[in-house]
């Protein structure tokens, strides 16, 4: 057939050069008609031809095929899209009928053109030589340039430095050759200043006429997201009081040093201030924080270049020496001890503090992070027991800690069996009206031998030994029983139960919740769960699944001690949480700590964006309380309002509590 017979053939059969076409999902018959949605001629397609048409999406596109029409072959240009679940449709023109094809494209592609133009992403389409073919509305807004002024110009020259352009040319040339899609982050100069964009780049064929390949660059401005992630990363890895790396940060470095040590040894110098608690009690936490800063500077003056100092929390510091020997570590420990013998002057007050130091080496005392820190920690406690202001190198004879472990192993199991555990409840105060609608359940161990033991002395052992599972189950059931009792009394108080990392990855906690609710007829659910950031690190997928299942019962899930572990912004966005709970280290003296104030404001802003509530714990002064109200914290908890109480004490406290002012 000659080039001009295609339009004639279509006119003969349909009375138009651009008949309508449609294809059903269950048939390979291409139906052509002069009247839309009416079948005039059905043409059999090959499986491959039908498959090509069915690959069209909901955005108008075009392709060409050859069919038999009235016994004669005709090369058609189809313009169309998938119109619903069962049907593809559009208009057809003879491939050689340039005028009809152009008209079909103008009408058929108007929707796609509008999508590109108004998409809420920067969209730039370039050819193989980097020449700009499309520049949508958002691109114009960011750059201040008009599409008509940039069409045909070189994207490398307009938006990249010579170095970036050279690298980008090489990359894009390679991608054009293999046609693979890719993502890239790039800083772009805009009318709003330099902004970071995530470009998702995909290669497409022109679809008609000369077969050309174009690169579609779709960019999203991720500047604020990256800044927030960086703020949270710094927050997660930096001690807010001293500015030193925190426990999380140095653990990563220790693991790296162990893996890369070769034939050399890795040394840890673990130190604890000897009378820091007395200083805190005598002069207050703010003074204690300033002392910690001075101590940090003093220790930094003792260590060598290449060593790393971190604050683990409280008054504990750790020095990592990557290429160490015993003599070198002992000399370092002695220098620190001598330096800390000198007094520190804070304002008009002069105080003395010393330290006890434990030393451990890898591989001599352990080949992994946990064992190495445990050995250094054990040696430090032995140094304290031997009179303080000294150092001890770990040795296998140090079994005092082992003896303590064995005592706990025997007596905590017995305590669980003999009902020696009790649950105290601490109120949470709602900021907007001062009401109490939530309490936290806090377990205590009333040991016949040692009296009332706080959880800090046995929870870590329970987690290590596996007792945390039955212990956590008991606390959950006790809290559920108490919540149900309060509910019957007309007190609709939600009770938050702490959940450990081991419980979170154990599916039984979901069954335990279901049984507790059913057993106590606690409907609606009045139980919530508080988990630490470390719980998310071990197995995020499992944690997400368990949290989702807990929430289906009506339980809320809060991220406890926020800021002391590691949570990326992306991870927070993935985890189905209801609230984040500010660690008390942020709250303590916040009215006099500009850095803490800035961090709390940033956390509140991030939480608001993620639609989380913010709960502050450790509120002890009215000035702290007022600051937290100003920044928009939703709930508060601390000794300013109430200490943990037994159920009867809490009920009595609630009767006398006035939302207008906190009670001691």
């Amino acid at each position: 057939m000659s080039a001009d017979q295609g339009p004639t053939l279509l006119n003969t059969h349909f009375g138009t050069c651009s008949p309508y076409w449609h294809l059903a999902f269950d048939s390979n018959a291409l139906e052509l008609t002069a009247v839309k949605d009416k079948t005039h001629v059905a043409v059999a397609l090959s499986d491959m031809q039908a498959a090509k048409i069915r690959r069209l999406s909901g955005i108008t596109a075009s392709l060409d095929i050859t069919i038999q029409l009235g016994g004669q072959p005709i090369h058609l240009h189809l313009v169309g899209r998938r119109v619903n679940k069962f049907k593809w449709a559009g208009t057809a023109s003879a491939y050689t009928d340039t005028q009809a094809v152009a008209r079909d494209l103008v009408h058929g592609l108007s929707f796609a053109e509008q999508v590109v133009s108004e998409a809420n992403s920067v969209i730039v389409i370039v050819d193989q030589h980097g020449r700009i073919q499309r520049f949508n509305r958002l691109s114009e807004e960011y750059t201040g340039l008009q599409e008509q002024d940039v069409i045909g110009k070189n994207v490398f020259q307009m938006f990249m430095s010579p170095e970036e352009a050279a690298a980008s040319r090489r990359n894009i040339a390679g991608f054009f050759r293999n046609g693979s899609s890719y993502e890239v982050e790039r800083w772009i100069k805009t009318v709003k200043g330099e902004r970071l964009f995530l470009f998702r780049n995909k290669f497409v064929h022109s679809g008609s006429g000369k077969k050309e390949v174009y690169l579609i660059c779709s960019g999203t401005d991720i500047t604020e997201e990256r800044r927030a992630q960086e703020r949270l990363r710094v927050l997660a890895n930096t001690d807010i009081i001293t500015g030193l790396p925190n426990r999380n940060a140095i653990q990563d470095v220790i693991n790296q040093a162990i893996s890369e040590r070769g034939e050399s040894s890795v040394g840890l110098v673990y130190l604890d201030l000897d009378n820091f608690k007395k200083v805190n009690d005598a002069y207050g936490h703010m003074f204690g924080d300033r002392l910690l800063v001075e101590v940090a500077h003093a220790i930094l003056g003792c260590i060598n270049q290449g060593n790393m100092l971190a604050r683990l929390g409280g008054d504990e510091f750790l020095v990592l020496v990557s290429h160490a020997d015993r003599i070198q570590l002992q000399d370092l420990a002695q220098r620190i001890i001598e330096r800390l013998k000198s007094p520190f002057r804070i304002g008009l007050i002069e105080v003395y503090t010393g330290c006890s130091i434990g030393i451990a080496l890898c591989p001599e005392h352990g080949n992994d992070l946990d064992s190495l820190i445990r050995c250094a920690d054990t040696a430090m406690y032995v140094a304290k027991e031997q009179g303080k202001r000294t150092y001890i190198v770990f040795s296998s004879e140090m079994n005092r800690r082992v003896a303590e472990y064995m005592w706990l192993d025997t007596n905590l199991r017995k305590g669980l069996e003999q009902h020696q555990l009790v649950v105290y409840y601490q109120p949470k105060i709602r900021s907007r009206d001062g009401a109490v609608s939530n309490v936290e359940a806090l377990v205590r161990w009333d040991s016949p031998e040692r009296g009332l033991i706080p959880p800090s002395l046995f929870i870590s052992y329970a987690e290590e030994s596996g007792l945390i599972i039955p212990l956590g189950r008991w606390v959950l059931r006790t809290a559920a029983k108490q919540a149900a009792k309060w509910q019957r009394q007309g007190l609709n108080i939600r009770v938050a139960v702490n959940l450990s990392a081991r419980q979170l990855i154990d599916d039984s906690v979901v069954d335990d919740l279901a049984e507790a609710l059913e057993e106590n007829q606690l409907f609606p659910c009045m139980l919530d769960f508080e988990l630490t950031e470390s719980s998310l690190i071990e197995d995020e997928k499992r944690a997400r699944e368990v949290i989702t299942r807990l929430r289906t019962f009506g339980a809320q899930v809060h991220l406890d001690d926020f800021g002391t572990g590691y949570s990326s912004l992306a991870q927070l966005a993935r985890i189905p949480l209801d609230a984040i709970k500010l660690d008390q280290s942020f709250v303590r003296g916040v009215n006099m700590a500009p850095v803490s104030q800035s961090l709390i404001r940033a956390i509140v802003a991030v939480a608001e964006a993620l639609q989380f509530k913010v709960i502050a714990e450790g509120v002890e002064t009215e000035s702290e309380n007022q600051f937290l109200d100003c920044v928009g914290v939703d709930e508060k908890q601390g000794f300013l309002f109430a200490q943990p109480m037994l159920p009867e004490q809490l009920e009595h406290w609630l009767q006398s509590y006035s939302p207008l002012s906190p009670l001691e």
Side-chain angles (χ1 to χ4, degrees), residues 45-344:
L45 300 178
S46 67
D47 290 341
M48 183 176 296
Q49 288 176 318
K52 285 176 64 178
I53 294 175
R54 292 189 181 111
R55 282 197 291 269
L56 296 177
S57 68
I59 303 298
T60 305
S62 62
L63 56 84
D64 58 276
I65 61 173
T66 299
I67 64 171
Q68 293 287 329
L69 188 61
Q72 299 183 62
I74 182 171
H75 194 179
L76 291 181
H77 186 90
L78 305 183
V79 175
R81 63 189 179 91
R82 183 170 188 164
V83 295
N84 56 44
K85 186 176 180 180
F86 307 105
K87 183 179 175 182
W88 289 258
T91 56
S93 299
Y95 185 75
T96 56
D97 188 351
T98 306
Q99 184 176 356
V101 169
R103 185 179 62 251
D104 290 348
L105 287 172
V106 167
H107 291 291
L109 296 178
S110 60
F111 176 58
E113 171 64 23
Q114 184 179 359
V115 170
V116 172
S117 178
E118 299 301 324
N120 195 28
S121 296
V122 168
I123 297 178
V124 181
I125 303 177
V126 299
D127 63 16
Q128 299 184 56
H129 305 290
R131 292 188 294 259
I132 299 173
Q133 307 297 311
R134 277 304 321 269
F135 199 75
N136 77 337
R137 176 190 55 78
L138 200 60
S139 301
E140 294 178 334
E141 291 180 6
Y142 267 106
T143 63
L145 302 172
Q146 297 299 310
E147 182 178 41
Q148 63 193 36
D149 298 325
V150 300
I151 292 295
K153 293 186 178 179
N154 192 286
V155 70
F156 305 113
Q157 297 174 354
M158 293 196 67
F159 300 109
M160 302 181 195
S161 66
E163 295 78 11
E164 290 177 326
S168 188
R169 284 178 190 274
R170 289 192 298 269
N171 291 339
I172 290 180
F175 289 127
F176 262 113
R177 282 194 298 271
N178 58 40
S180 61
S181 302
Y182 66 100
E183 292 185 356
V184 64
E185 292 182 9
R186 187 174 298 282
W187 286 96
I188 300 295
K189 293 180 179 179
T190 75
V191 294
K192 303 176 183 179
E194 224 178 15
R195 308 290 293 181
L196 181 64
F197 285 84
L198 172 63
F199 282 100
R200 294 177 173 86
N201 300 330
K202 184 177 180 61
F203 294 88
V204 297
H205 292 272
S206 59
S208 63
K210 183 180 178 182
K211 288 292 184 180
E212 292 183 334
V213 179
Y214 294 93
L215 177 62
I216 300 179
C217 307
S218 176
T220 304
D221 187 345
I222 59 171
T223 312
E224 299 307 323
E225 178 182 344
R226 285 290 183 268
R227 286 174 180 168
Q229 286 179 342
E230 179 60 19
R231 286 194 295 269
L232 287 176
R233 186 196 67 79
V234 172
L235 180 65
N237 290 280
T238 304
D239 174 52
I240 64 173
I241 294 176
T242 63
L244 294 173
N246 63 9
R247 180 185 295 271
N248 178 71
I250 200 167
Q251 284 181 345
D252 291 340
V253 180
I254 293 172
N255 278 325
Q256 182 179 356
I258 291 174
S259 65
E260 297 175 355
R261 69 177 183 82
E263 297 299 321
S264 64
S265 295
V266 173
L268 297 186
V269 175
Y270 197 121
L271 64 101
D272 182 274
L273 302 184
D274 288 331
N275 62 342
F276 183 71
K277 185 178 185 302
K278 293 180 180 178
V279 172
N280 256 349
D281 292 343
Y283 301 110
H285 291 302
M286 289 178 57
F287 185 92
D289 290 349
R290 293 175 64 186
L291 177 59
L292 288 173
V293 174
E294 294 299 320
V295 168
H297 287 310
I299 299 172
L300 285 171
C302 298
I303 66 178
N304 298 322
Q305 187 175 4
N307 300 162
M308 182 176 181
L309 173 65
R311 178 174 174 247
L312 301 183
D315 57 353
E316 294 181 338
F317 294 83
L318 184 67
V319 181
L320 166 65
V321 182
S322 296
H323 302 284
D325 59 55
R326 184 182 291 253
I327 301 301
Q328 179 185 2
L329 295 173
Q330 290 175 325
D331 290 343
L332 171 59
Q334 190 60 47
R335 287 199 303 274
I336 295 174
I337 288 171
E338 293 299 324
R339 173 62 185 87
L340 296 190
K341 285 181 180 178
S342 301
F344 290 90

Side-chain angles (χ1 to χ4, degrees), residues 343-523:
F344 290 90
R345 181 172 292 278
I346 311 294
L348 299 177
I349 302 174
E350 189 174 71
V351 295
Y352 287 83
T353 186
C355 68
S356 301
I357 294 178
I359 297 173
L361 291 97
C362 171
E364 184 177 345
H365 302 132
N367 287 299
D368 59 81
L369 170 70
D370 291 339
S371 60
L372 202 59
I373 290 182
R374 185 168 58 249
C375 290
D377 186 29
T378 300
M380 182 270 292
Y381 275 105
V382 173
K384 276 190 176 295
E385 292 166 0
Q386 293 188 1
K388 303 181 180 180
R389 295 198 177 187
T390 187
Y391 68 83
I392 295 290
V393 180
F394 179 81
S395 67
S396 57
E397 290 77 24
M398 295 177 184
N399 57 7
R400 190 180 301 274
R401 299 280 289 177
V402 176
E404 178 68 8
Y405 184 96
M406 294 304 297
W407 186 89
L408 286 170
D409 186 63
T410 301
N411 290 279
L412 184 55
R413 293 177 189 275
K414 187 187 299 183
L416 192 58
E417 294 169 358
Q418 297 180 359
H419 310 292
Q420 296 172 6
L421 297 171
V422 291
V423 176
Y424 283 62
Y425 299 88
Q426 186 175 29
K428 299 177 185 177
I429 308 302
R430 202 160 55 202
S431 296
R432 71 170 185 268
D433 56 10
V436 176
S437 59
N438 299 269
V439 296
E440 180 180 2
L442 300 165
V443 65
R444 303 287 189 267
W445 178 14
D446 192 3
S447 167
E449 294 182 33
R450 300 186 179 183
L452 199 63
I453 302 175
S456 59
L457 298 183
F458 64 86
I459 289 297
S460 60
Y461 157 75
E463 291 180 340
E464 184 178 350
S465 65
L467 270 177
I468 195 67
I469 301 298
L471 175 60
R473 183 178 297 117
W474 179 85
V475 173
L476 176 62
R477 289 177 174 173
T478 302
K481 184 177 180 180
Q482 185 60 58
K485 180 180 178 182
W486 282 332
Q487 194 177 60
R488 290 192 296 272
Q489 294 174 356
L491 294 174
N492 291 316
I493 299 176
R494 300 190 70 84
V495 181
V497 177
N498 288 282
L499 197 63
S500 74
R502 181 167 294 197
Q503 289 175 277
L504 192 62
I505 62 175
D506 188 326
D507 286 338
S508 64
V509 69
V510 180
D511 297 330
D512 293 340
L513 173 62
E515 291 176 7
L517 296 177
E518 182 64 32
E519 180 181 344
N520 295 280
Q521 289 299 295
L522 188 56
F523 303 109

Side-chain angles (χ1 to χ4, degrees), residues 585-644:
S585 60
F586 290 98
V587 176
R588 188 182 301 126
V590 67
N591 54 299
M592 299 293 291
V595 173
S596 295
Q597 293 175 12
S598 298
L599 291 172
I600 289 178
R601 287 191 179 97
I603 292 171
V604 170
V606 170
E608 184 178 2
L610 296 175
Q611 297 183 332
F612 296 159
K613 290 193 304 182
V614 179
I615 304 168
E617 62 179 346
V619 184
E620 297 184 354
T621 68
E622 182 56 34
S623 55
E624 294 168 355
N625 180 43
Q626 291 176 3
F627 172 79
L628 295 170
D629 283 342
C630 288
V631 298
V633 167
D634 298 287
E635 295 179 3
K636 298 158 295 186
Q637 177 184 4
F639 287 178
L640 175 65
F641 307 102
Q643 297 186 12

Side-chain angles (χ1 to χ4, degrees), residues 553-565:
F553 286 94
Q556 296 184 10
V557 180
H558 304 164
L559 189 60
D560 198 9
D561 299 331
F562 182 76
T564 60

